[in-house]
Amino acid sequence: MRRLIATTAIAASVTMMIAASTAQARDQIRIVGSSTIFPLTTKVAEYFGKTTGEPAPVVESTGSGGGFKLFCGGIGSEYPDIVDASRQITGSETAICAANSVRNISEIKIGYDGIVLLGSRKAPTMTLSARQLYLALARTVPVQGASVPNPHVKWSDIDANLPDIPIRVYGPPPTSGTRDLMGQLLMDKGCAEFSDIASLESTDPESFRLLCRTIREDGAYIEAGENDRLVISKLEKDPKSYGVMGFNNLDRNREAMQGIPINGVAPDYDTILDGSYPGSRALYLYVKDDHQQLVRTLGAFVATYTSDAVIGEEGLLADNGLVPLPENERQEALAGAQKFSGN
């Protein structure tokens, strides 16, 4: 865990803000953030309510980016206490937080997940390279040295060995951490295999990101919102379509869904944890430290979330698709939670 603390003196202003809102203090924790982590955090919230007798936290699926926007809005009972995120907070988000007096934030890594392309068990089986995934989903692609609107209508247009069916992929919107990391972990890797584009990564990184991460809008990629269950339902009904989602969605639906290998590596617990699967990523909680004075159960909930019973190898979330932390990172998470709760 790392502490994100502004260098300016703010103790007096924060104290005044907290004192002003104490009368409106809440008993119920409010959590916003990643659609990938939403079902996991919902289970932890239910578990916390049952095991402590305290009100179960309210959990909203807003996407990581949407969650940080709400979280960074300010200090007080009207603002969320926790963001669960499928990526780390960005520098610009930290700056927005600081501008709104949200300066004391705890980052706690809770485990690992993977960004996967999945389809129903009835969908054609295929193995994709990151390059092929980029050629399927990018708005523009290189053709004879020029960047042109994506001409690929079917998977077989990219490679004759791929299925002869239309490219139709349901995926997350721009507010989602899954969308952000799909760009960083998968699209960038495929894009960088084209030498002309790869050279931009060091000379013109903004153009590189624009070329690599801008997703097509011609119907081949369908923004599916933050409701992962709805996407699973669509894939079951349309076995010629695929979806970009978090690994835990695949793990929870193994009887109905199949994961598509990327660069010859299938998404599973071992390949995500050792990093050999190209779409592996860490998952985080961001906690607003100053809200311990507003929500009396906040420290207890963080302690519950980071307990062996929840994120340990035999814990609640390991049974629901979370890839548990290695022991050294596990101890770091525990130490962070103890420091946060004042124990």
Side-chain angles (χ1 to χ4, degrees):
M1 184 191 79
R2 61 186 174 91
R3 305 277 298 181
L4 307 175
I5 305 174
T7 57
T8 55
I10 57 150
S13 60
V14 171
T15 299
M16 291 176 62
M17 294 179 70
I18 292 174
S21 58
T22 297
Q24 302 176 5
R26 289 183 270 106
D27 284 334
Q28 200 165 29
I29 297 164
R30 184 183 173 200
I31 305 170
V32 294
S34 168
S35 63
T36 295
I37 312 178
F38 170 75
L40 304 180
T41 300
T42 298
K43 287 187 177 296
V44 181
E46 293 170 352
Y47 175 80
F48 177 76
K50 290 177 181 178
T51 57
T52 66
E54 299 287 357
V58 174
V59 186
E60 300 175 62
S61 175
T62 62
S64 296
F68 282 123
K69 183 176 181 180
L70 294 168
F71 180 84
C72 292
I75 298 289
S77 59
E78 67 269 38
Y79 299 106
D81 313 300
I82 297 175
V83 177
D84 53 15
S86 55
R87 60 166 174 80
Q88 288 187 290
I89 192 170
T90 66
S92 60
E93 287 165 341
T94 300
I96 292 170
C97 272
N100 291 318
S101 298
V102 184
R103 296 181 172 94
N104 299 316
I105 305 170
S106 292
E107 176 191 278
I108 304 173
K109 187 186 293 185
I110 60 168
Y112 287 89
D113 182 37
I115 298 168
V116 302
L117 184 70
L118 71 166
S120 81
R121 288 287 180 181
K122 297 178 181 178
T125 300
M126 60 178 171
T127 296
L128 287 176
S129 65
R131 181 180 186 274
Q132 290 169 333
L133 185 63
Y134 161 73
L135 290 174
L137 299 183
R139 179 186 292 178
T140 61
V141 297
V143 175
Q144 297 180 347
S147 182
V148 303
N150 196 325
H152 304 124
V153 176
K154 299 187 292 183
W155 293 101
S156 56
D157 293 339
I158 299 169
D159 188 313
N161 294 315
L162 294 176
D164 188 29
I165 59 174
I167 299 169
R168 187 161 54 248
V169 176
Y170 293 92
T175 55
S176 169
T178 298
R179 171 76 166 260
D180 292 338
L181 288 179
M182 178 180 76
Q184 294 176 32
L185 299 176
L186 298 176
M187 299 290 283
D188 282 6
K189 289 177 182 177
C191 186
E193 293 193 22
F194 295 89
S195 58
D196 290 347
I197 301 177
S199 64
L200 292 173
E201 190 168 11
S202 58
T203 61
D204 188 352
E206 184 60 33
S207 293
F208 176 82
R209 286 191 292 270
L210 186 65
L211 285 170
C212 296
R213 300 180 192 177
T214 303
I215 303 298
R216 62 195 299 180
E217 297 177 334
D218 56 1
Y221 181 91
I222 305 162
E223 289 188 4
E226 300 288 359
N227 189 333
D228 291 342
R229 293 178 183 175
L230 180 61
V231 176
I232 293 292
S233 175
K234 289 181 180 294
L235 299 182
E236 289 181 312
K237 293 176 181 177
D238 180 6
K240 292 184 179 180
S241 64
Y242 299 87
V244 175
M245 307 179 75
F247 169 74
N248 67 72
N249 289 287
L250 171 62
D251 194 65
R252 290 198 308 271
N253 296 277
R254 288 239 178 235
E255 292 185 1
M257 295 288 121
Q258 60 171 310
I260 304 301
I262 303 293
N263 289 350
V265 182
D268 61 34
Y269 279 89
D270 292 336
T271 60
I272 288 171
L273 188 58
D274 67 18
S276 60
Y277 176 70
S280 61
R281 60 178 174 181
L283 303 178
Y284 300 89
L285 293 184
Y286 287 87
V287 188
K288 196 174 291 179
D289 293 5
D290 293 327
H291 274 202
Q292 290 183 87
Q293 300 181 53
L294 294 175
V295 188
R296 61 179 177 79
T297 57
L298 190 56
F301 178 74
V302 173
T304 295
Y305 207 127
T306 55
S307 67
D308 283 333
V310 172
I311 63 171
E313 289 188 2
E314 304 297 330
L316 172 70
L317 297 189
D319 293 333
N320 289 273
L322 184 75
V323 178
L325 295 168
E327 184 58 26
N328 63 323
E329 295 182 22
R330 177 85 186 89
Q331 292 305 314
E332 185 178 351
L334 287 171
Q338 289 171 352
K339 183 177 180 181
F340 176 81
S341 62
N343 293 329

